[in-house]
Amino acid sequence: MSFPDTIPPLSIRPGPETAEAYAALTQDWNPIHLDADFAAATPFGKPIAHGTMALNLLVEAVARAGFRIAELDIRFTAPTFVGQALTASARRREGAEYAVEVYADGETAVLTGTATLDMRGTGPDTAT
Amino acid sequence: MNDEMWTFARFEPGQSFGTVTIPLDAERVAGWAAIYGAPQGDAAPDGLIVAGMMEAYIRAIQPRPKGNVHAAQKLAFSGAACRIGEEVVYHVSVLSAEEKRGRNWVGFGIRAEAGGRDLLRGEILSIWAA
């Protein structure tokens, strides 16, 4: 089995409508993501994107490259403000282990960690 | 229905919040597609299973204080296939609860299955607000 040195970057720019769509998808209507007035009274000062929006961008980037995440261990290292572009990528360390990261506006790491990848269609019950 | 707020003091390792069943229906697929693009074929995107994990976590533990912080996440996918249109059953539990340096850290375990097939095990590490 051959693993590439990098997983091609995948980007989105989540605006307020994207935050609403993600809230509907996950039923996470925390006003910190959606309400500018509420967010202004928090230490963030303005709405922040859902953390797993960045995580799922990484999951999708891996899938589009023809792989799947077998195991993942990440930390959310900084908030993403609504309106910032998110870019997910992965760099191979050795074997199937990758350093994974998501950047906001190309300069702030908002998610970092490690993932072990596998080829798609190699799990149990894949024919079901 | 218990309307008592889920505060940090009420969490205990091993505590179960039961199951939440989430259909990977057209509405959820459309929601996914609006953000990440339309899925190819009839396989559910792995990320849609993760989105369901978050929905289960939100729905299972209510009411909850505002201002909780999702600090870290572990995932382990089995690789088992899941099709769009299937129902996914999420089991939600508490793995850990400890106060460190004035912050309330709670680890939640989520196990997802569909049709008796294990799909995903996740660990959500949160800083609980109250």
mmCIF file of all heavy atoms in Angstrom, chain A residues 22 25-27 52-53 56-57 59-60 64 68-76 120 123-126 128, chain B residues 28 32 35-36 46-48 50-51 54-55 58 70-81 83 117:
data_model
loop_
_atom_site.group_PDB
_atom_site.id
_atom_site.type_symbol
_atom_site.label_atom_id
_atom_site.label_comp_id
_atom_site.label_asym_id
_atom_site.label_seq_id
_atom_site.Cartn_x
_atom_site.Cartn_y
_atom_site.Cartn_z
ATOM 1 N N TYR A 22 -24.100 24.913 8.969
ATOM 2 C CA TYR A 22 -23.444 23.919 9.832
ATOM 3 C C TYR A 22 -24.207 23.749 11.145
ATOM 4 O O TYR A 22 -24.294 22.639 11.684
ATOM 5 C CB TYR A 22 -21.985 24.295 10.098
ATOM 6 C CG TYR A 22 -21.181 23.103 10.550
ATOM 7 C CD1 TYR A 22 -20.633 22.219 9.628
ATOM 8 C CD2 TYR A 22 -21.013 22.824 11.899
ATOM 9 C CE1 TYR A 22 -19.933 21.101 10.027
ATOM 10 C CE2 TYR A 22 -20.318 21.705 12.314
ATOM 11 C CZ TYR A 22 -19.775 20.846 11.376
ATOM 12 O OH TYR A 22 -19.092 19.726 11.783
ATOM 13 N N LEU A 25 -26.968 21.492 10.368
ATOM 14 C CA LEU A 25 -26.483 20.127 10.137
ATOM 15 C C LEU A 25 -26.218 19.401 11.447
ATOM 16 O O LEU A 25 -26.480 18.200 11.563
ATOM 17 C CB LEU A 25 -25.199 20.177 9.290
ATOM 18 C CG LEU A 25 -24.551 18.853 8.920
ATOM 19 C CD1 LEU A 25 -25.474 18.026 8.033
ATOM 20 C CD2 LEU A 25 -23.218 19.102 8.219
ATOM 21 N N THR A 26 -25.695 20.106 12.437
ATOM 22 C CA THR A 26 -25.305 19.480 13.701
ATOM 23 C C THR A 26 -26.247 19.806 14.856
ATOM 24 O O THR A 26 -26.059 19.294 15.956
ATOM 25 C CB THR A 26 -23.886 19.934 14.094
ATOM 26 O OG1 THR A 26 -23.882 21.367 14.190
ATOM 27 C CG2 THR A 26 -22.865 19.496 13.060
ATOM 28 N N GLN A 27 -27.221 20.660 14.590
ATOM 29 C CA GLN A 27 -28.131 21.135 15.635
ATOM 30 C C GLN A 27 -27.379 21.861 16.756
ATOM 31 O O GLN A 27 -27.832 21.868 17.907
ATOM 32 C CB GLN A 27 -28.979 19.980 16.184
ATOM 33 C CG GLN A 27 -29.955 19.426 15.161
ATOM 34 C CD GLN A 27 -30.920 20.509 14.668
ATOM 35 O OE1 GLN A 27 -31.669 21.073 15.441
ATOM 36 N NE2 GLN A 27 -30.876 20.799 13.367
ATOM 37 N N THR A 52 -15.797 21.671 14.569
ATOM 38 C CA THR A 52 -15.812 20.483 13.720
ATOM 39 C C THR A 52 -16.061 20.830 12.253
ATOM 40 O O THR A 52 -15.949 19.940 11.409
ATOM 41 C CB THR A 52 -16.835 19.441 14.206
ATOM 42 O OG1 THR A 52 -18.122 20.038 14.311
ATOM 43 C CG2 THR A 52 -16.395 18.834 15.525
ATOM 44 N N MET A 53 -16.366 22.085 11.950
ATOM 45 C CA MET A 53 -16.409 22.465 10.532
ATOM 46 C C MET A 53 -15.004 22.309 9.940
ATOM 47 O O MET A 53 -14.832 21.806 8.821
ATOM 48 C CB MET A 53 -16.900 23.897 10.368
ATOM 49 C CG MET A 53 -17.068 24.314 8.920
ATOM 50 S SD MET A 53 -17.451 26.062 8.717
ATOM 51 C CE MET A 53 -19.087 26.140 9.434
ATOM 52 N N ASN A 56 -14.144 18.508 9.799
ATOM 53 C CA ASN A 56 -14.772 17.821 8.675
ATOM 54 C C ASN A 56 -14.178 18.242 7.333
ATOM 55 O O ASN A 56 -14.212 17.474 6.370
ATOM 56 C CB ASN A 56 -16.286 18.037 8.687
ATOM 57 C CG ASN A 56 -16.982 16.970 9.500
ATOM 58 O OD1 ASN A 56 -16.454 15.873 9.657
ATOM 59 N ND2 ASN A 56 -18.156 17.275 10.009
ATOM 60 N N LEU A 57 -13.615 19.437 7.270
ATOM 61 C CA LEU A 57 -12.894 19.822 6.052
ATOM 62 C C LEU A 57 -11.681 18.911 5.866
ATOM 63 O O LEU A 57 -11.386 18.465 4.748
ATOM 64 C CB LEU A 57 -12.460 21.292 6.138
ATOM 65 C CG LEU A 57 -11.750 21.843 4.903
ATOM 66 C CD1 LEU A 57 -12.694 21.886 3.698
ATOM 67 C CD2 LEU A 57 -11.192 23.238 5.193
ATOM 68 N N VAL A 59 -11.405 15.817 7.123
ATOM 69 C CA VAL A 59 -11.941 14.487 6.789
ATOM 70 C C VAL A 59 -12.285 14.421 5.296
ATOM 71 O O VAL A 59 -11.985 13.425 4.618
ATOM 72 C CB VAL A 59 -13.179 14.174 7.655
ATOM 73 C CG1 VAL A 59 -13.855 12.883 7.206
ATOM 74 C CG2 VAL A 59 -12.799 14.085 9.134
ATOM 75 N N GLU A 60 -12.864 15.491 4.783
ATOM 76 C CA GLU A 60 -13.252 15.528 3.364
ATOM 77 C C GLU A 60 -12.026 15.614 2.450
ATOM 78 O O GLU A 60 -12.004 14.991 1.377
ATOM 79 C CB GLU A 60 -14.198 16.704 3.126
ATOM 80 C CG GLU A 60 -14.720 16.825 1.705
ATOM 81 C CD GLU A 60 -15.626 15.686 1.255
ATOM 82 O OE1 GLU A 60 -16.012 14.846 2.092
ATOM 83 O OE2 GLU A 60 -15.929 15.633 0.048
ATOM 84 N N ARG A 64 -11.286 12.945 -0.506
ATOM 85 C CA ARG A 64 -11.138 13.320 -1.925
ATOM 86 C C ARG A 64 -9.811 12.830 -2.498
ATOM 87 O O ARG A 64 -9.668 12.682 -3.714
ATOM 88 C CB ARG A 64 -11.269 14.832 -2.084
ATOM 89 C CG ARG A 64 -12.676 15.308 -1.830
ATOM 90 C CD ARG A 64 -12.854 16.745 -2.240
ATOM 91 N NE ARG A 64 -14.156 17.245 -1.836
ATOM 92 C CZ ARG A 64 -14.655 18.409 -2.208
ATOM 93 N NH1 ARG A 64 -13.949 19.194 -2.999
ATOM 94 N NH2 ARG A 64 -15.847 18.798 -1.790
ATOM 95 N N ARG A 68 -9.079 7.279 3.689
ATOM 96 C CA ARG A 68 -9.983 7.536 4.793
ATOM 97 C C ARG A 68 -9.154 7.632 6.059
ATOM 98 O O ARG A 68 -8.025 7.108 6.117
ATOM 99 C CB ARG A 68 -11.034 6.428 4.934
ATOM 100 C CG ARG A 68 -10.481 5.077 5.328
ATOM 101 C CD ARG A 68 -11.568 4.052 5.541
ATOM 102 N NE ARG A 68 -11.015 2.766 5.926
ATOM 103 C CZ ARG A 68 -10.690 2.439 7.183
ATOM 104 N NH1 ARG A 68 -10.855 3.306 8.165
ATOM 105 N NH2 ARG A 68 -10.180 1.255 7.452
ATOM 106 N N ILE A 69 -9.706 8.307 7.050
ATOM 107 C CA ILE A 69 -9.042 8.392 8.347
ATOM 108 C C ILE A 69 -9.380 7.132 9.140
ATOM 109 O O ILE A 69 -10.557 6.795 9.312
ATOM 110 C CB ILE A 69 -9.484 9.658 9.099
ATOM 111 C CG1 ILE A 69 -8.859 10.893 8.437
ATOM 112 C CG2 ILE A 69 -9.096 9.579 10.572
ATOM 113 C CD1 ILE A 69 -9.327 12.198 9.010
ATOM 114 N N ALA A 70 -8.338 6.425 9.571
ATOM 115 C CA ALA A 70 -8.551 5.283 10.457
ATOM 116 C C ALA A 70 -8.577 5.770 11.908
ATOM 117 O O ALA A 70 -9.487 5.435 12.670
ATOM 118 C CB ALA A 70 -7.459 4.235 10.254
ATOM 119 N N GLU A 71 -7.570 6.559 12.261
ATOM 120 C CA GLU A 71 -7.514 7.133 13.608
ATOM 121 C C GLU A 71 -7.031 8.564 13.523
ATOM 122 O O GLU A 71 -6.215 8.897 12.650
ATOM 123 C CB GLU A 71 -6.592 6.313 14.511
ATOM 124 C CG GLU A 71 -7.102 4.916 14.771
ATOM 125 C CD GLU A 71 -6.333 4.203 15.867
ATOM 126 O OE1 GLU A 71 -5.417 4.820 16.443
ATOM 127 O OE2 GLU A 71 -6.656 3.046 16.131
ATOM 128 N N LEU A 72 -7.531 9.371 14.447
ATOM 129 C CA LEU A 72 -7.179 10.790 14.443
ATOM 130 C C LEU A 72 -7.144 11.298 15.878
ATOM 131 O O LEU A 72 -7.962 10.880 16.712
ATOM 132 C CB LEU A 72 -8.212 11.569 13.622
ATOM 133 C CG LEU A 72 -8.121 13.094 13.651
ATOM 134 C CD1 LEU A 72 -8.345 13.666 12.253
ATOM 135 C CD2 LEU A 72 -9.156 13.693 14.600
ATOM 136 N N ASP A 73 -6.201 12.185 16.145
ATOM 137 C CA ASP A 73 -6.072 12.790 17.480
ATOM 138 C C ASP A 73 -5.661 14.240 17.255
ATOM 139 O O ASP A 73 -4.537 14.513 16.843
ATOM 140 C CB ASP A 73 -5.012 12.029 18.288
ATOM 141 C CG ASP A 73 -4.929 12.501 19.733
ATOM 142 O OD1 ASP A 73 -5.566 13.519 20.081
ATOM 143 O OD2 ASP A 73 -4.232 11.842 20.527
ATOM 144 N N ILE A 74 -6.595 15.162 17.505
ATOM 145 C CA ILE A 74 -6.305 16.576 17.195
ATOM 146 C C ILE A 74 -6.709 17.484 18.353
ATOM 147 O O ILE A 74 -7.495 17.092 19.228
ATOM 148 C CB ILE A 74 -7.044 17.045 15.921
ATOM 149 C CG1 ILE A 74 -8.565 16.951 16.060
ATOM 150 C CG2 ILE A 74 -6.543 16.289 14.719
ATOM 151 C CD1 ILE A 74 -9.271 18.178 16.530
ATOM 152 N N ARG A 75 -6.147 18.671 18.327
ATOM 153 C CA ARG A 75 -6.583 19.736 19.233
ATOM 154 C C ARG A 75 -7.018 20.946 18.402
ATOM 155 O O ARG A 75 -6.446 21.202 17.338
ATOM 156 C CB ARG A 75 -5.457 20.161 20.187
ATOM 157 C CG ARG A 75 -5.160 19.123 21.241
ATOM 158 C CD ARG A 75 -4.269 19.613 22.352
ATOM 159 N NE ARG A 75 -4.185 18.598 23.396
ATOM 160 C CZ ARG A 75 -5.057 18.476 24.396
ATOM 161 N NH1 ARG A 75 -6.049 19.345 24.508
ATOM 162 N NH2 ARG A 75 -4.936 17.519 25.292
ATOM 163 N N PHE A 76 -8.014 21.626 18.900
ATOM 164 C CA PHE A 76 -8.412 22.899 18.299
ATOM 165 C C PHE A 76 -7.553 23.972 18.959
ATOM 166 O O PHE A 76 -7.704 24.255 20.151
ATOM 167 C CB PHE A 76 -9.904 23.151 18.520
ATOM 168 C CG PHE A 76 -10.778 22.120 17.855
ATOM 169 C CD1 PHE A 76 -11.408 21.137 18.593
ATOM 170 C CD2 PHE A 76 -10.951 22.118 16.484
ATOM 171 C CE1 PHE A 76 -12.208 20.176 17.988
ATOM 172 C CE2 PHE A 76 -11.745 21.155 15.858
ATOM 173 C CZ PHE A 76 -12.372 20.193 16.609
ATOM 174 N N ARG A 120 -9.463 3.795 1.007
ATOM 175 C CA ARG A 120 -10.914 3.656 1.071
ATOM 176 C C ARG A 120 -11.301 2.251 0.637
ATOM 177 O O ARG A 120 -10.678 1.656 -0.230
ATOM 178 C CB ARG A 120 -11.599 4.676 0.162
ATOM 179 C CG ARG A 120 -11.325 6.116 0.576
ATOM 180 C CD ARG A 120 -12.397 7.056 0.064
ATOM 181 N NE ARG A 120 -13.656 6.868 0.757
ATOM 182 C CZ ARG A 120 -13.909 7.330 1.989
ATOM 183 N NH1 ARG A 120 -13.013 7.994 2.651
ATOM 184 N NH2 ARG A 120 -15.090 7.121 2.541
ATOM 185 N N GLY A 123 -12.124 -1.358 4.960
ATOM 186 C CA GLY A 123 -12.650 -1.694 6.276
ATOM 187 C C GLY A 123 -13.509 -2.933 6.215
ATOM 188 O O GLY A 123 -13.699 -3.532 5.154
ATOM 189 N N PRO A 124 -14.050 -3.364 7.375
ATOM 190 C CA PRO A 124 -14.955 -4.502 7.399
ATOM 191 C C PRO A 124 -16.279 -4.143 6.744
ATOM 192 O O PRO A 124 -16.671 -2.978 6.694
ATOM 193 C CB PRO A 124 -15.128 -4.771 8.899
ATOM 194 C CG PRO A 124 -14.898 -3.449 9.540
ATOM 195 C CD PRO A 124 -13.862 -2.768 8.700
ATOM 196 N N ASP A 125 -16.948 -5.114 6.235
ATOM 197 C CA ASP A 125 -18.312 -4.923 5.712
ATOM 198 C C ASP A 125 -18.359 -3.939 4.556
ATOM 199 O O ASP A 125 -19.369 -3.305 4.319
ATOM 200 C CB ASP A 125 -19.275 -4.408 6.800
ATOM 201 C CG ASP A 125 -19.131 -5.147 8.084
ATOM 202 O OD1 ASP A 125 -19.284 -6.374 8.063
ATOM 203 O OD2 ASP A 125 -18.869 -4.505 9.104
ATOM 204 N N THR A 126 -17.270 -3.775 3.835
ATOM 205 C CA THR A 126 -17.273 -2.738 2.812
ATOM 206 C C THR A 126 -18.200 -3.075 1.658
ATOM 207 O O THR A 126 -18.547 -2.206 0.868
ATOM 208 C CB THR A 126 -15.855 -2.511 2.265
ATOM 209 O OG1 THR A 126 -15.314 -3.786 1.910
ATOM 210 C CG2 THR A 126 -14.985 -1.852 3.290
ATOM 211 N N THR A 128 -21.254 -4.190 2.060
ATOM 212 C CA THR A 128 -22.652 -4.075 2.473
ATOM 213 C C THR A 128 -23.249 -2.779 1.974
ATOM 214 O O THR A 128 -22.545 -1.833 1.697
ATOM 215 C CB THR A 128 -22.795 -4.116 3.999
ATOM 216 O OG1 THR A 128 -22.029 -3.071 4.554
ATOM 217 C CG2 THR A 128 -22.335 -5.453 4.513
ATOM 218 N N ARG B 28 -30.145 16.217 5.645
ATOM 219 C CA ARG B 28 -28.772 16.273 6.162
ATOM 220 C C ARG B 28 -27.746 16.214 5.036
ATOM 221 O O ARG B 28 -26.704 16.874 5.088
ATOM 222 C CB ARG B 28 -28.550 15.159 7.185
ATOM 223 C CG ARG B 28 -29.268 15.432 8.506
ATOM 224 C CD ARG B 28 -29.015 14.338 9.518
ATOM 225 N NE ARG B 28 -29.596 14.692 10.818
ATOM 226 C CZ ARG B 28 -30.874 14.535 11.119
ATOM 227 N NH1 ARG B 28 -31.716 14.034 10.225
ATOM 228 N NH2 ARG B 28 -31.333 14.878 12.313
ATOM 229 N N TRP B 32 -24.904 18.969 4.238
ATOM 230 C CA TRP B 32 -23.487 18.652 4.015
ATOM 231 C C TRP B 32 -23.017 19.230 2.679
ATOM 232 O O TRP B 32 -21.961 19.871 2.579
ATOM 233 C CB TRP B 32 -23.284 17.138 4.059
ATOM 234 C CG TRP B 32 -21.909 16.726 3.650
ATOM 235 C CD1 TRP B 32 -21.470 16.382 2.398
ATOM 236 C CD2 TRP B 32 -20.751 16.675 4.501
ATOM 237 N NE1 TRP B 32 -20.123 16.112 2.417
ATOM 238 C CE2 TRP B 32 -19.656 16.279 3.690
ATOM 239 C CE3 TRP B 32 -20.535 16.921 5.862
ATOM 240 C CZ2 TRP B 32 -18.375 16.118 4.203
ATOM 241 C CZ3 TRP B 32 -19.248 16.763 6.362
ATOM 242 C CH2 TRP B 32 -18.200 16.368 5.544
ATOM 243 N N ILE B 35 -22.048 22.868 2.254
ATOM 244 C CA ILE B 35 -20.786 23.319 2.848
ATOM 245 C C ILE B 35 -19.585 22.698 2.141
ATOM 246 O O ILE B 35 -18.615 23.380 1.807
ATOM 247 C CB ILE B 35 -20.749 22.953 4.350
ATOM 248 C CG1 ILE B 35 -21.924 23.594 5.072
ATOM 249 C CG2 ILE B 35 -19.417 23.385 4.979
ATOM 250 C CD1 ILE B 35 -22.200 23.019 6.446
ATOM 251 N N TYR B 36 -19.661 21.387 1.886
ATOM 252 C CA TYR B 36 -18.480 20.657 1.409
ATOM 253 C C TYR B 36 -18.613 20.135 -0.020
ATOM 254 O O TYR B 36 -17.670 19.563 -0.550
ATOM 255 C CB TYR B 36 -18.203 19.477 2.350
ATOM 256 C CG TYR B 36 -17.936 19.900 3.765
ATOM 257 C CD1 TYR B 36 -18.902 19.737 4.767
ATOM 258 C CD2 TYR B 36 -16.725 20.490 4.129
ATOM 259 C CE1 TYR B 36 -18.671 20.132 6.079
ATOM 260 C CE2 TYR B 36 -16.483 20.894 5.432
ATOM 261 C CZ TYR B 36 -17.457 20.708 6.403
ATOM 262 O OH TYR B 36 -17.213 21.110 7.695
ATOM 263 N N ASP B 46 -17.649 10.338 5.272
ATOM 264 C CA ASP B 46 -17.227 10.114 6.667
ATOM 265 C C ASP B 46 -17.560 11.326 7.534
ATOM 266 O O ASP B 46 -17.934 11.193 8.702
ATOM 267 C CB ASP B 46 -15.719 9.846 6.713
ATOM 268 C CG ASP B 46 -15.351 8.488 6.124
ATOM 269 O OD1 ASP B 46 -16.264 7.642 5.952
ATOM 270 O OD2 ASP B 46 -14.156 8.283 5.824
ATOM 271 N N GLY B 47 -17.420 12.504 6.946
ATOM 272 C CA GLY B 47 -17.685 13.710 7.723
ATOM 273 C C GLY B 47 -19.144 13.844 8.132
ATOM 274 O O GLY B 47 -19.455 14.487 9.140
ATOM 275 N N LEU B 48 -20.034 13.240 7.366
ATOM 276 C CA LEU B 48 -21.445 13.284 7.749
ATOM 277 C C LEU B 48 -21.682 12.443 9.008
ATOM 278 O O LEU B 48 -22.541 12.780 9.831
ATOM 279 C CB LEU B 48 -22.309 12.782 6.586
ATOM 280 C CG LEU B 48 -23.811 13.043 6.661
ATOM 281 C CD1 LEU B 48 -24.129 14.523 6.830
ATOM 282 C CD2 LEU B 48 -24.510 12.507 5.410
ATOM 283 N N VAL B 50 -19.404 12.209 11.300
ATOM 284 C CA VAL B 50 -18.854 13.084 12.351
ATOM 285 C C VAL B 50 -19.866 14.181 12.706
ATOM 286 O O VAL B 50 -20.066 14.496 13.887
ATOM 287 C CB VAL B 50 -17.515 13.699 11.892
ATOM 288 C CG1 VAL B 50 -16.989 14.684 12.938
ATOM 289 C CG2 VAL B 50 -16.485 12.606 11.628
ATOM 290 N N ALA B 51 -20.513 14.757 11.694
ATOM 291 C CA ALA B 51 -21.539 15.768 11.969
ATOM 292 C C ALA B 51 -22.657 15.168 12.817
ATOM 293 O O ALA B 51 -23.160 15.806 13.751
ATOM 294 C CB ALA B 51 -22.098 16.319 10.654
ATOM 295 N N MET B 54 -21.708 15.028 16.407
ATOM 296 C CA MET B 54 -21.894 16.287 17.115
ATOM 297 C C MET B 54 -23.367 16.534 17.425
ATOM 298 O O MET B 54 -23.717 17.027 18.504
ATOM 299 C CB MET B 54 -21.322 17.442 16.290
ATOM 300 C CG MET B 54 -19.809 17.413 16.127
ATOM 301 S SD MET B 54 -18.916 17.218 17.695
ATOM 302 C CE MET B 54 -19.386 18.735 18.533
ATOM 303 N N GLU B 55 -24.240 16.202 16.478
ATOM 304 C CA GLU B 55 -25.675 16.364 16.732
ATOM 305 C C GLU B 55 -26.109 15.492 17.908
ATOM 306 O O GLU B 55 -26.870 15.936 18.784
ATOM 307 C CB GLU B 55 -26.481 16.017 15.476
ATOM 308 C CG GLU B 55 -27.987 16.149 15.697
ATOM 309 C CD GLU B 55 -28.815 15.865 14.458
ATOM 310 O OE1 GLU B 55 -28.244 15.748 13.353
ATOM 311 O OE2 GLU B 55 -30.054 15.767 14.596
ATOM 312 N N ILE B 58 -24.912 17.021 21.116
ATOM 313 C CA ILE B 58 -25.705 18.195 21.476
ATOM 314 C C ILE B 58 -27.074 17.768 21.999
ATOM 315 O O ILE B 58 -27.551 18.252 23.037
ATOM 316 C CB ILE B 58 -25.886 19.126 20.253
ATOM 317 C CG1 ILE B 58 -24.538 19.698 19.791
ATOM 318 C CG2 ILE B 58 -26.901 20.229 20.553
ATOM 319 C CD1 ILE B 58 -23.928 20.702 20.712
ATOM 320 N N HIS B 70 -15.061 23.193 22.813
ATOM 321 C CA HIS B 70 -14.624 21.910 22.256
ATOM 322 C C HIS B 70 -13.115 22.020 22.070
ATOM 323 O O HIS B 70 -12.646 22.664 21.137
ATOM 324 C CB HIS B 70 -15.347 21.676 20.923
ATOM 325 C CG HIS B 70 -15.157 20.310 20.353
ATOM 326 N ND1 HIS B 70 -15.912 19.845 19.291
ATOM 327 C CD2 HIS B 70 -14.329 19.292 20.676
ATOM 328 C CE1 HIS B 70 -15.544 18.609 19.005
ATOM 329 N NE2 HIS B 70 -14.571 18.253 19.809
ATOM 330 N N ALA B 71 -12.351 21.374 22.945
ATOM 331 C CA ALA B 71 -10.904 21.595 22.969
ATOM 332 C C ALA B 71 -10.130 20.589 22.134
ATOM 333 O O ALA B 71 -9.086 20.935 21.554
ATOM 334 C CB ALA B 71 -10.407 21.556 24.413
ATOM 335 N N ALA B 72 -10.593 19.357 22.095
ATOM 336 C CA ALA B 72 -9.828 18.321 21.396
ATOM 337 C C ALA B 72 -10.765 17.209 20.962
ATOM 338 O O ALA B 72 -11.896 17.093 21.473
ATOM 339 C CB ALA B 72 -8.724 17.768 22.286
ATOM 340 N N GLN B 73 -10.272 16.403 20.022
ATOM 341 C CA GLN B 73 -11.129 15.370 19.437
ATOM 342 C C GLN B 73 -10.291 14.172 19.011
ATOM 343 O O GLN B 73 -9.226 14.345 18.402
ATOM 344 C CB GLN B 73 -11.858 15.940 18.210
ATOM 345 C CG GLN B 73 -12.756 14.970 17.489
ATOM 346 C CD GLN B 73 -14.012 14.650 18.293
ATOM 347 O OE1 GLN B 73 -14.750 15.534 18.671
ATOM 348 N NE2 GLN B 73 -14.224 13.354 18.558
ATOM 349 N N LYS B 74 -10.769 12.992 19.350
ATOM 350 C CA LYS B 74 -10.200 11.765 18.806
ATOM 351 C C LYS B 74 -11.280 11.061 18.005
ATOM 352 O O LYS B 74 -12.454 11.097 18.368
ATOM 353 C CB LYS B 74 -9.699 10.841 19.922
ATOM 354 C CG LYS B 74 -8.512 11.390 20.700
ATOM 355 C CD LYS B 74 -8.069 10.414 21.782
ATOM 356 C CE LYS B 74 -6.895 10.986 22.567
ATOM 357 N NZ LYS B 74 -6.470 10.086 23.664
ATOM 358 N N LEU B 75 -10.859 10.423 16.906
ATOM 359 C CA LEU B 75 -11.779 9.642 16.080
ATOM 360 C C LEU B 75 -11.117 8.323 15.720
ATOM 361 O O LEU B 75 -9.907 8.274 15.491
ATOM 362 C CB LEU B 75 -12.116 10.376 14.777
ATOM 363 C CG LEU B 75 -12.837 11.722 14.851
ATOM 364 C CD1 LEU B 75 -12.928 12.323 13.451
ATOM 365 C CD2 LEU B 75 -14.224 11.555 15.449
ATOM 366 N N ALA B 76 -11.899 7.276 15.641
ATOM 367 C CA ALA B 76 -11.434 5.997 15.106
ATOM 368 C C ALA B 76 -12.548 5.435 14.237
ATOM 369 O O ALA B 76 -13.592 5.004 14.755
ATOM 370 C CB ALA B 76 -11.075 5.034 16.234
ATOM 371 N N PHE B 77 -12.325 5.480 12.931
ATOM 372 C CA PHE B 77 -13.289 4.906 11.990
ATOM 373 C C PHE B 77 -12.971 3.431 11.782
ATOM 374 O O PHE B 77 -11.806 3.065 11.607
ATOM 375 C CB PHE B 77 -13.199 5.617 10.632
ATOM 376 C CG PHE B 77 -13.845 6.965 10.575
ATOM 377 C CD1 PHE B 77 -13.096 8.109 10.755
ATOM 378 C CD2 PHE B 77 -15.201 7.090 10.331
ATOM 379 C CE1 PHE B 77 -13.677 9.360 10.690
ATOM 380 C CE2 PHE B 77 -15.796 8.342 10.261
ATOM 381 C CZ PHE B 77 -15.035 9.476 10.442
ATOM 382 N N SER B 78 -14.000 2.616 11.757
ATOM 383 C CA SER B 78 -13.786 1.179 11.525
ATOM 384 C C SER B 78 -13.527 0.888 10.063
ATOM 385 O O SER B 78 -12.931 -0.140 9.730
ATOM 386 C CB SER B 78 -15.015 0.393 11.981
ATOM 387 O OG SER B 78 -16.097 0.595 11.077
ATOM 388 N N GLY B 79 -14.001 1.767 9.186
ATOM 389 C CA GLY B 79 -13.912 1.512 7.745
ATOM 390 C C GLY B 79 -15.147 0.834 7.191
ATOM 391 O O GLY B 79 -15.246 0.621 5.984
ATOM 392 N N ALA B 80 -16.081 0.500 8.063
ATOM 393 C CA ALA B 80 -17.335 -0.106 7.596
ATOM 394 C C ALA B 80 -18.111 0.905 6.761
ATOM 395 O O ALA B 80 -18.115 2.094 7.058
ATOM 396 C CB ALA B 80 -18.170 -0.563 8.778
ATOM 397 N N ALA B 81 -18.760 0.407 5.731
ATOM 398 C CA ALA B 81 -19.511 1.282 4.835
ATOM 399 C C ALA B 81 -20.827 1.709 5.470
ATOM 400 O O ALA B 81 -21.426 0.973 6.247
ATOM 401 C CB ALA B 81 -19.790 0.570 3.521
ATOM 402 N N ARG B 83 -24.396 3.841 4.057
ATOM 403 C CA ARG B 83 -25.045 4.409 2.878
ATOM 404 C C ARG B 83 -25.915 5.602 3.249
ATOM 405 O O ARG B 83 -26.512 5.632 4.330
ATOM 406 C CB ARG B 83 -25.930 3.361 2.200
ATOM 407 C CG ARG B 83 -25.224 2.079 1.828
ATOM 408 C CD ARG B 83 -24.229 2.317 0.720
ATOM 409 N NE ARG B 83 -23.522 1.085 0.395
ATOM 410 C CZ ARG B 83 -22.305 1.050 -0.149
ATOM 411 N NH1 ARG B 83 -21.672 2.162 -0.423
ATOM 412 N NH2 ARG B 83 -21.726 -0.099 -0.423
ATOM 413 N N ARG B 117 -23.365 -2.545 12.404
ATOM 414 C CA ARG B 117 -21.959 -2.389 12.051
ATOM 415 C C ARG B 117 -21.368 -1.199 12.803
ATOM 416 O O ARG B 117 -21.908 -0.105 12.727
ATOM 417 C CB ARG B 117 -21.799 -2.175 10.539
ATOM 418 C CG ARG B 117 -22.493 -3.225 9.683
ATOM 419 C CD ARG B 117 -22.281 -2.963 8.206
ATOM 420 N NE ARG B 117 -22.546 -1.608 7.773
ATOM 421 C CZ ARG B 117 -23.782 -1.115 7.517
ATOM 422 N NH1 ARG B 117 -24.856 -1.866 7.692
ATOM 423 N NH2 ARG B 117 -23.926 0.114 7.109
#
